[in-house]
């Protein structure tokens, strides 16, 4: 299991939020942590420490009042650590190249591919033509409904009809190089991992998968390794001392870099 660092940006600032609280209306979210440092500071830290494959996530909707400030923060992080970070948040086939040119190793996409509640295959093909599958990450972040996990879009606010499953991973694997999956129901709560999601993902290991959501302790990391059978990478947000939590960044880096 490898540690993937993160830089989440909302309203032009590096933050940690409760994932399920994010609302487009008035660009609201329940905040766990707001950093005094900018995104480039974190990017340079991760570069110094040799951490790769981290995620820069834009949490504002394109066209919203704070979107441009958030975008500029993201671009500054990519330029500070060229080739070391992935970026996601409202990316389309028309904007992917801008982020890749700015230094992103890969782009992360959800909403452009999952539209009207289902996979929009033509949009997915457009992305692959623009980026190549090797530079595309599909975000299948999910929430639980009626006992199953479903992919959610638009900053985790809208359910799709696509159920997270081995079949879905198999269906999409030919179009991307890896998957990123937030367990949104526990995202930002630092109250334990979503074992159901981790166990489901641990049964399928044909491409790299990064799990995010709920990690609060070394015990949670051990549980994630067990549920994911060692195949899952992990990103940690609110629980990390970099973002006001109690888990030591230095210790995580030492054990899982």
């Amino acid at each position: 299991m490898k540690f993937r660092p993160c830089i989440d940006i909302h309203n032009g600032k590096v933050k940690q939020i409760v994932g399920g609280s994010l609302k487009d209306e008035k660009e609201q979210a329940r905040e766990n942590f707001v950093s005094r440092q900018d995104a480039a500071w974190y990017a340079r830290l991760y570069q110094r420490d040799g951490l790769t494959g981290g995620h820069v996530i834009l949490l504002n909707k394109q066209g919203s009042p704070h979107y441009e400030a958030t975008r500029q923060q993201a671009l500054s992080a990519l330029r500070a650590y060229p080739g070391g970070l992935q970026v996601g948040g409202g990316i389309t086939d028309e904007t992917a190249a801008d982020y890749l040119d700015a230094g992103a190793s890969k782009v992360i996409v959800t909403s452009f591919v999952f539209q009207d509640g289902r996979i929009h295959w033509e949009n997915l093909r457009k992305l692959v033509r623009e980026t190549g599958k090797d530079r595309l990450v599909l975000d299948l972040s999910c929430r639980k409904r009626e006992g199953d996990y479903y992919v959610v879009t638009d900053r985790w606010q809208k359910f799709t009809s696509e159920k997270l499953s081995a079949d879905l991973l198999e269906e999409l694997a030919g179009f991307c190089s890896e998957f990123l999956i937030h367990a949104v129901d526990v995202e930002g709560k630092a109250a334990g991992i979503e074992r159901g999601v981790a166990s489901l993902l641990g049964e399928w290991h044909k491409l790299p998968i990064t799990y995010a959501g709920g990690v609060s302790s070394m015990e949670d990391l051990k549980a994630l390794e067990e549920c994911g059978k060692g195949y899952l990478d992990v990103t940690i947000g609110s629980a990390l001392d970099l973002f006001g939590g109690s888990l030591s960044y230095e210790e995580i880096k030492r054990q899982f870099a």
Side-chain angles (χ1 to χ4, degrees), residues 1-6 53 55 139-142 149 164 178-188 190-202 208-216 220-221 223-225 227-228 231-237:
M1 186 165 69
K2 176 185 173 183
F3 169 57
R4 306 280 199 106
C6 66
H55 313 107
D139 183 338
L140 306 184
S141 294
C142 61
Y149 298 100
L164 184 66
E178 59 182 274
F179 295 105
L180 169 64
I181 299 174
H182 294 79
V184 177
D185 292 325
V186 297
E187 174 69 21
I193 66 167
E194 185 77 84
R195 290 172 179 262
V197 173
S199 296
L200 188 159
L201 298 175
I209 300 176
T210 301
Y211 169 93
V215 173
S216 62
D220 284 333
L221 289 170
L224 182 61
E225 267 197 307
C227 291
Y231 293 116
L232 302 180
D233 289 342
V234 64
T235 187
I236 307 169

Side-chain angles (χ1 to χ4, degrees), residues 42 49 52 55 64 101 123 157-158 161 188-189 200 229:
Y42 287 94
D49 293 338
T52 59
H55 313 107
S64 62
D101 290 345
N123 280 358
Q157 296 171 60
K158 296 181 181 179
S161 60
K189 297 181 180 179
L200 188 159
K229 299 183 178 179

